[in-house]
Amino acid sequence: MSVLAGQTAIVTGSSSGIGAAIARAVGAAGANVVVNYPGGHSDAADAVVADIVAAGGAAIAFACDVSKEAEVDAMVAHAVATYGTIDIMIANAGWQKDAPFAEMTLAKWQAVIDVNLTGQFLCARAAVREFARRGMVPERSRALGKIVCMSSVHEVIPWGGHVDYAASKGGVMMLMKSIAQELAPQKIRCNGIAPGAIKTPINRSAWETPEAEKKLLELIPYGRIGEPEDIARATVWLCSDDSDYVTGTTLFVDGGMTLYPGFSTGG
Ligand code: NAD
């Protein structure tokens, strides 16, 4: 059974990595998918759309910088014009601009907060406005709408050399929980996913050589680096009625990275 049949999902930053896997998975689960990418033309976004269509689904690509209010509102308006409404917002777009703390420029800090945190605020707000305009459709979902905020284990694990990124993800957690608390009475569910180390372009240097991979595996009790599909499967569940009683929570999909593996033999 297609658990998202008849629903429409926007997946931000879905021309690569985790977002692309999520777009394919929600498409396979029956949702119409808006494959978002930051700007210009993207062959990679077109390829994700083609994959979804080839598998029997429906999808379009749409360029929008999630840190720009007017562009986010235009993306949601385009999705509504194309598919009638949106039921699901998956705020996944994010990036890193790393530097030792004393050398971190305001420009780097601002760029990461703008995309990783403000971008999620803008996408969630636009989605909530559309959910309220459309109203309940009980035959499609028990919820008025679903929002998934892509966080990180760094919403709880401090990360030297990446203070902008860790601060943005800590912010995402409280954004997600506050939205969930305020809007649960309206039957809007908002949850986060905190991936551990997943093989994507964002962290290539952490896994592409055998030495780097061995060092990374020391942080992962489950003994393997995650794949984008690990996150995609969790996302489909959080968007479906199978998780209808789940809101305001972060689902850690991290192979045990947040279990403090350094303490496994007594600390
Ligand atoms: P990725 O670089 O493949 O994907 C990030 C995507 O965001 C890219 O497609 C990029 O084009 C898009 N993007 C960047 N700025 C944008 C903007 N302004 N507007 C629209 N799109 C924009 O890396 P990924 O690992 O797939 O990252 C996806 C999400 O997962 C991010 O939020 C990241 O912080 C989070 N995450 C990843 C890992 C990991 O190990 N890979 C771990 C924890 C969290």
Coordinates of all heavy atoms in Angstrom, one line a residue, residues 12-20 22 36-39 62-68 71 75 91-96 111 114-116 119-120 149-154 159 165 168-169 193-204 207 216 225-226 228 231 253, ligand 1:
T12 N 13.1 20.0 0.2 CA 14.1 21.0 -0.1 C 15.5 20.4 -0.2 O 15.8 19.4 0.5 CB 14.1 22.2 0.9 OG1 14.6 21.7 2.2 CG2 12.7 22.8 1.1
G13 N 16.3 21.0 -1.1 CA 17.7 20.5 -1.2 C 17.7 19.0 -1.7 O 18.5 18.2 -1.1
S14 N 16.9 18.7 -2.7 CA 16.7 17.2 -3.0 C 17.3 16.9 -4.4 O 16.9 15.9 -4.9 CB 15.3 16.8 -2.9 OG 14.4 17.6 -3.7
S15 N 18.3 17.7 -4.8 CA 19.0 17.2 -6.0 C 20.2 16.4 -5.7 O 20.9 15.9 -6.6 CB 19.4 18.5 -6.9 OG 20.3 19.3 -6.1
S16 N 20.5 16.2 -4.4 CA 21.6 15.3 -4.1 C 21.4 14.7 -2.7 O 20.5 15.1 -2.0 CB 22.9 16.2 -4.0 OG 22.9 17.1 -3.0
G17 N 22.3 13.8 -2.4 CA 22.4 13.2 -1.0 C 21.1 12.7 -0.4 O 20.3 12.0 -1.0
I18 N 20.9 13.1 0.9 CA 19.8 12.6 1.7 C 18.5 13.1 1.0 O 17.5 12.3 0.9 CB 19.9 13.2 3.1 CG1 21.1 12.5 3.8 CG2 18.6 13.0 3.9 CD1 21.4 13.1 5.2
G19 N 18.4 14.4 0.6 CA 17.2 14.9 0.0 C 16.8 14.1 -1.2 O 15.6 13.9 -1.4
A20 N 17.7 13.8 -2.1 CA 17.4 13.0 -3.3 C 16.8 11.6 -2.9 O 15.8 11.2 -3.5 CB 18.6 12.8 -4.2
I22 N 15.2 10.9 -0.2 CA 13.9 11.2 0.4 C 12.9 11.4 -0.7 O 11.8 10.9 -0.7 CB 14.0 12.4 1.4 CG1 14.8 12.0 2.7 CG2 12.5 12.8 1.8 CD1 15.0 13.2 3.6
N36 N 13.3 20.3 -4.9 CA 13.8 21.7 -4.8 C 15.4 21.6 -4.9 O 16.0 20.7 -4.4 CB 13.4 22.3 -3.5 CG 14.3 23.5 -3.1 OD1 15.1 23.4 -2.2 ND2 14.2 24.6 -3.8
Y37 N 15.9 22.7 -5.6 CA 17.3 22.9 -5.6 C 17.6 24.4 -5.6 O 16.6 25.2 -5.8 CB 17.9 22.2 -6.9 CG 17.4 22.8 -8.2 CD1 18.1 23.7 -8.9 CD2 16.2 22.3 -8.7 CE1 17.6 24.2 -10.1 CE2 15.6 22.9 -9.8 CZ 16.3 23.8 -10.5 OH 15.8 24.3 -11.7
P38 N 18.8 24.9 -5.3 CA 19.0 26.3 -4.9 C 18.8 27.3 -6.1 O 18.4 28.4 -5.8 CB 20.4 26.3 -4.4 CG 20.9 25.0 -4.2 CD 20.0 24.1 -5.0
G39 N 19.1 27.0 -7.3 CA 18.9 28.0 -8.3 C 19.5 27.6 -9.7 O 20.1 26.5 -9.8
F62 N 12.0 22.4 -8.9 CA 11.7 23.8 -8.7 C 12.9 24.4 -8.1 O 13.3 24.0 -7.0 CB 10.5 24.0 -7.9 CG 10.0 25.4 -7.9 CD1 9.1 25.8 -9.0 CD2 10.4 26.4 -7.0 CE1 8.7 27.1 -9.0 CE2 9.9 27.7 -7.1 CZ 9.1 28.1 -8.1
A63 N 13.4 25.5 -8.7 CA 14.6 26.2 -8.1 C 14.1 27.3 -7.1 O 13.2 28.0 -7.4 CB 15.3 27.0 -9.3
C64 N 14.7 27.2 -6.0 CA 14.4 28.2 -4.9 C 15.5 28.2 -3.9 O 15.9 27.1 -3.4 CB 13.0 27.8 -4.3 SG 12.8 28.2 -2.6
D65 N 16.0 29.3 -3.5 CA 16.9 29.5 -2.4 C 16.1 29.5 -1.1 O 15.3 30.5 -0.9 CB 17.7 30.7 -2.6 CG 18.7 31.0 -1.5 OD1 18.5 30.4 -0.3 OD2 19.6 31.8 -1.7
V66 N 16.2 28.5 -0.3 CA 15.3 28.4 0.9 C 15.5 29.6 1.9 O 14.7 29.8 2.8 CB 15.4 27.1 1.6 CG1 14.9 25.9 0.7 CG2 16.8 26.8 2.2
S67 N 16.6 30.3 1.8 CA 16.8 31.4 2.7 C 16.1 32.7 2.3 O 16.2 33.7 2.9 CB 18.3 31.7 2.9 OG 18.9 32.2 1.7
K68 N 15.5 32.7 1.1 CA 14.8 33.9 0.6 C 13.3 33.7 0.7 O 12.7 32.9 0.1 CB 15.2 34.1 -0.9 CG 16.7 34.2 -1.1 CD 17.2 35.6 -0.8 CE 18.6 35.9 -1.3 NZ 19.6 34.9 -1.0
E71 N 11.1 33.6 -2.5 CA 11.3 32.4 -3.3 C 10.6 31.2 -2.7 O 10.1 30.3 -3.3 CB 12.8 32.1 -3.5 CG 13.5 33.2 -4.3 CD 15.0 32.8 -4.7 OE1 15.3 31.7 -4.8 OE2 15.8 33.8 -4.8
M75 N 7.7 29.0 -4.3 CA 7.7 27.5 -4.4 C 6.5 26.9 -3.9 O 5.9 26.0 -4.6 CB 9.0 27.0 -3.7 CG 9.1 25.5 -3.7 SD 10.6 24.9 -3.0 CE 10.5 25.4 -1.3
A91 N 12.0 19.9 5.2 CA 13.0 21.0 5.2 C 14.3 20.3 5.4 O 14.8 20.1 6.5 CB 12.6 22.0 6.3
N92 N 15.0 20.0 4.3 CA 16.2 19.2 4.3 C 17.4 20.0 3.9 O 18.6 19.7 4.3 CB 16.0 18.0 3.4 CG 17.3 17.3 3.1 OD1 17.9 16.6 3.9 ND2 17.9 17.6 1.9
A93 N 17.3 21.1 3.2 CA 18.4 21.8 2.6 C 19.3 22.3 3.7 O 18.9 22.8 4.8 CB 18.0 23.0 1.8
G94 N 20.6 22.1 3.5 CA 21.6 22.6 4.5 C 23.0 22.6 4.0 O 23.2 21.9 2.9
W95 N 23.9 23.3 4.6 CA 25.3 23.2 4.2 C 26.2 23.6 5.4 O 25.7 23.9 6.5 CB 25.5 24.1 3.0 CG 25.3 25.6 3.2 CD1 24.8 26.3 4.3 CD2 25.4 26.6 2.2 NE1 24.7 27.6 4.0 CE2 25.0 27.9 2.8 CE3 25.8 26.6 0.8 CZ2 25.0 29.1 2.1 CZ3 25.8 27.8 0.1 CH2 25.4 29.0 0.7
Q96 N 27.5 23.4 5.2 CA 28.5 23.7 6.2 C 29.5 24.7 5.7 O 29.8 24.7 4.5 CB 29.3 22.4 6.5 CG 28.5 21.3 7.2 CD 29.4 20.1 7.5 OE1 28.8 19.0 7.4 NE2 30.7 20.2 7.7
A111 N 25.7 32.8 6.6 CA 25.3 31.9 5.5 C 24.7 30.6 6.0 O 23.7 30.1 5.5 CB 26.5 31.6 4.6
D114 N 21.4 31.4 7.9 CA 20.3 31.7 6.9 C 19.7 30.5 6.2 O 18.5 30.4 6.0 CB 21.0 32.6 5.8 CG 21.1 34.1 6.2 OD1 20.7 34.4 7.3 OD2 21.7 34.9 5.4
V115 N 20.6 29.6 5.8 CA 20.0 28.4 5.0 C 19.5 27.3 6.0 O 18.4 26.9 5.9 CB 21.1 27.8 4.1 CG1 20.6 26.5 3.5 CG2 21.5 28.8 3.0
N116 N 20.3 27.0 7.0 CA 20.0 25.8 7.8 C 18.9 26.1 8.8 O 18.1 25.2 9.2 CB 21.2 25.4 8.7 CG 22.3 24.8 7.8 OD1 22.4 25.0 6.6 ND2 23.3 24.1 8.4
G119 N 16.0 29.2 6.7 CA 15.4 28.4 5.6 C 14.3 27.5 6.1 O 13.2 27.4 5.5
Q120 N 14.6 26.8 7.2 CA 13.6 25.9 7.8 C 12.4 26.6 8.3 O 11.2 26.2 8.2 CB 14.2 25.0 8.8 CG 15.2 24.1 8.3 CD 15.3 22.7 8.9 OE1 14.5 22.4 9.8 NE2 16.3 21.9 8.6
C149 N 11.8 18.3 9.9 CA 13.0 19.2 9.9 C 14.3 18.4 9.9 O 14.5 17.6 10.9 CB 13.0 20.1 11.2 SG 11.5 21.2 11.3
M150 N 15.1 18.5 8.9 CA 16.3 17.7 8.9 C 17.3 18.4 9.9 O 17.8 19.5 9.6 CB 16.9 17.6 7.5 CG 18.0 16.5 7.4 SD 17.4 14.9 7.9 CE 16.0 14.7 6.7
S151 N 17.6 17.7 10.9 CA 18.5 18.2 11.9 C 19.8 17.5 11.8 O 20.3 17.2 10.7 CB 17.9 18.1 13.3 OG 18.8 18.7 14.3
S152 N 20.4 17.1 12.9 CA 21.7 16.4 12.9 C 22.0 15.9 14.3 O 21.4 16.5 15.3 CB 22.8 17.4 12.5 OG 24.1 16.9 12.8
V153 N 22.9 14.9 14.4 CA 23.3 14.6 15.8 C 23.9 15.8 16.5 O 24.0 15.9 17.7 CB 24.3 13.4 15.8 CG1 23.7 12.1 15.5 CG2 25.5 13.7 14.9
H154 N 24.3 16.8 15.7 CA 24.9 18.0 16.3 C 23.9 19.0 16.8 O 24.2 20.1 17.2 CB 25.9 18.7 15.3 CG 27.0 17.8 15.0 ND1 27.9 17.5 15.9 CD2 27.4 17.1 13.8 CE1 28.8 16.6 15.4 NE2 28.5 16.4 14.1
W159 N 30.3 20.6 18.4 CA 31.2 20.3 17.3 C 32.2 21.4 17.0 O 31.9 22.4 16.4 CB 30.3 20.1 16.0 CG 31.0 19.2 15.0 CD1 32.1 18.4 15.2 CD2 30.6 19.0 13.6 NE1 32.4 17.7 14.0 CE2 31.5 18.1 13.1 CE3 29.6 19.5 12.9 CZ2 31.4 17.7 11.7 CZ3 29.5 19.1 11.5 CH2 30.4 18.2 11.0
Y165 N 27.4 25.5 12.3 CA 26.5 24.4 11.9 C 25.8 23.8 13.2 O 24.6 23.6 13.2 CB 27.4 23.3 11.3 CG 26.6 22.1 10.7 CD1 26.0 22.1 9.5 CD2 26.5 21.0 11.5 CE1 25.4 21.0 9.0 CE2 25.8 19.8 11.1 CZ 25.2 19.9 9.8 OH 24.6 18.8 9.3
S168 N 23.2 26.1 14.3 CA 22.0 26.0 13.5 C 21.1 24.8 13.8 O 19.9 24.9 13.8 CB 22.4 26.1 12.0 OG 22.9 24.8 11.5
K169 N 21.7 23.7 14.0 CA 21.0 22.4 14.3 C 20.3 22.4 15.7 O 19.2 21.9 15.8 CB 21.8 21.2 14.0 CG 22.3 21.0 12.6 CD 21.2 20.9 11.6 CE 21.7 20.6 10.2 NZ 20.6 20.5 9.2
I193 N 14.6 14.8 12.2 CA 15.4 13.7 12.1 C 16.8 14.1 12.3 O 17.3 15.1 11.7 CB 15.2 13.0 10.7 CG1 13.8 12.5 10.5 CG2 16.3 11.9 10.5 CD1 13.6 11.7 9.2
A194 N 17.5 13.4 13.1 CA 19.0 13.7 13.4 C 19.8 12.6 12.8 O 20.0 11.5 13.4 CB 19.2 13.8 14.9
P195 N 20.3 12.8 11.6 CA 21.2 11.7 11.0 C 22.6 11.8 11.7 O 23.0 12.8 12.2 CB 21.4 12.2 9.5 CG 20.3 13.2 9.3 CD 20.0 13.8 10.6
G196 N 23.2 10.6 11.8 CA 24.6 10.6 12.2 C 25.5 10.8 11.0 O 25.3 11.8 10.3
A197 N 26.4 9.9 10.7 CA 27.3 10.1 9.5 C 26.7 9.3 8.4 O 26.6 8.1 8.4 CB 28.7 9.6 9.8
I198 N 26.2 10.1 7.4 CA 25.6 9.5 6.2 C 26.5 9.8 5.0 O 26.9 11.0 4.8 CB 24.2 10.1 5.9 CG1 23.4 10.1 7.2 CG2 23.5 9.4 4.8 CD1 23.0 8.7 7.8
K199 N 26.7 8.8 4.1 CA 27.6 9.0 3.0 C 26.9 10.0 1.9 O 26.1 9.5 1.2 CB 28.0 7.7 2.3 CG 29.1 7.0 2.9 CD 29.6 5.8 2.1 CE 30.7 5.1 2.9 NZ 31.1 3.9 2.2
T200 N 27.3 11.2 1.9 CA 26.8 12.2 0.9 C 27.9 13.2 0.6 O 29.0 13.2 1.3 CB 25.6 13.0 1.5 OG1 26.1 14.0 2.4 CG2 24.5 12.1 2.1
P201 N 27.7 14.1 -0.4 CA 28.7 15.0 -0.7 C 29.1 16.0 0.4 O 30.2 16.5 0.5 CB 28.1 15.8 -1.9 CG 27.0 14.9 -2.5 CD 26.5 14.1 -1.3
I202 N 28.2 16.2 1.4 CA 28.5 17.2 2.4 C 29.7 16.8 3.3 O 30.4 17.7 3.8 CB 27.2 17.5 3.3 CG1 27.1 18.9 3.8 CG2 27.1 16.5 4.4 CD1 25.8 19.2 4.6
N203 N 29.9 15.5 3.4 CA 31.0 15.1 4.4 C 31.9 14.1 3.7 O 32.5 13.2 4.4 CB 30.3 14.4 5.6 CG 29.4 13.2 5.2 OD1 29.3 12.9 4.0 ND2 28.9 12.6 6.2
R204 N 32.1 14.3 2.4 CA 33.0 13.3 1.6 C 34.3 13.1 2.2 O 34.8 12.0 2.3 CB 33.1 13.9 0.2 CG 33.9 13.0 -0.8 CD 33.9 13.5 -2.2 NE 32.6 13.7 -2.8 CZ 31.9 12.7 -3.3 NH1 32.4 11.5 -3.3 NH2 30.7 13.0 -3.8
W207 N 34.8 10.2 4.8 CA 34.7 8.8 4.5 C 35.3 8.3 3.2 O 35.4 7.1 3.0 CB 33.2 8.4 4.5 CG 32.3 9.2 3.6 CD1 31.5 10.2 4.0 CD2 32.1 9.1 2.2 NE1 30.8 10.8 2.9 CE2 31.2 10.1 1.8 CE3 32.6 8.3 1.2 CZ2 30.8 10.3 0.5 CZ3 32.2 8.5 -0.1 CH2 31.3 9.5 -0.5
L216 N 36.2 7.4 11.3 CA 34.8 7.7 11.5 C 34.0 6.6 12.2 O 33.2 6.8 13.1 CB 34.2 8.1 10.1 CG 32.7 8.5 10.1 CD1 32.5 9.7 11.0 CD2 32.3 8.8 8.7
I225 N 28.8 3.1 8.1 CA 28.4 4.5 7.8 C 27.0 4.4 7.2 O 26.6 3.5 6.5 CB 29.4 5.2 6.9 CG1 30.8 5.2 7.6 CG2 29.0 6.6 6.5 CD1 31.9 5.7 6.7
G226 N 26.1 5.4 7.5 CA 24.8 5.4 7.1 C 24.7 5.7 5.6 O 25.5 6.3 5.0
P228 N 22.0 7.3 2.5 CA 20.8 8.2 2.4 C 19.5 7.5 2.6 O 18.5 8.1 3.2 CB 21.0 8.9 1.0 CG 22.4 8.8 0.8 CD 22.9 7.6 1.4
I231 N 17.9 7.3 6.0 CA 17.1 8.5 6.4 C 15.8 8.6 5.7 O 14.8 9.0 6.2 CB 18.0 9.8 6.1 CG1 19.4 9.7 6.8 CG2 17.2 11.0 6.6 CD1 19.4 9.5 8.3
V253 N 18.8 8.8 13.8 CA 19.1 7.7 12.8 C 20.6 7.8 12.6 O 21.1 8.4 11.7 CB 18.3 7.9 11.5 CG1 18.5 6.7 10.6 CG2 16.8 8.1 11.8
Ligands
NAD1 P1 24.1 17.5 0.3 O1 25.2 18.5 0.2 O2 24.1 16.4 -0.7 O3 22.7 18.1 0.3 C1 22.4 19.4 0.8 C2 21.5 20.0 -0.3 O4 21.0 21.3 0.1 C3 22.1 20.2 -1.6 O5 21.4 19.5 -2.6 C4 22.2 21.7 -1.8 O6 22.0 22.0 -3.2 C5 21.0 22.1 -1.0 N1 21.0 23.5 -0.6 C6 22.0 24.2 -0.1 N2 21.7 25.5 0.1 C7 20.4 25.6 -0.4 C8 19.6 26.7 -0.5 N3 19.9 27.9 -0.1 N4 18.3 26.5 -1.0 C9 18.0 25.2 -1.4 N5 18.8 24.2 -1.4 C10 20.0 24.3 -0.8 O7 24.3 16.9 1.8 P2 23.3 16.0 2.7 O8 24.2 15.2 3.6 O9 22.4 15.2 1.8 O10 22.6 17.0 3.6 C11 21.1 17.1 3.7 C12 20.8 17.5 5.1 O11 21.1 16.5 6.0 C13 21.4 18.8 5.6 O12 20.5 19.6 6.3 C14 22.5 18.3 6.5 O13 22.8 19.3 7.5 C15 21.8 17.1 7.1 N6 22.7 16.1 7.7 C16 23.6 15.4 6.9 C17 24.4 14.5 7.5 C18 25.4 13.6 6.8 O14 26.2 12.9 7.4 N7 25.4 13.6 5.4 C19 24.4 14.3 8.9 C20 23.5 15.1 9.7 C21 22.7 16.0 9.0

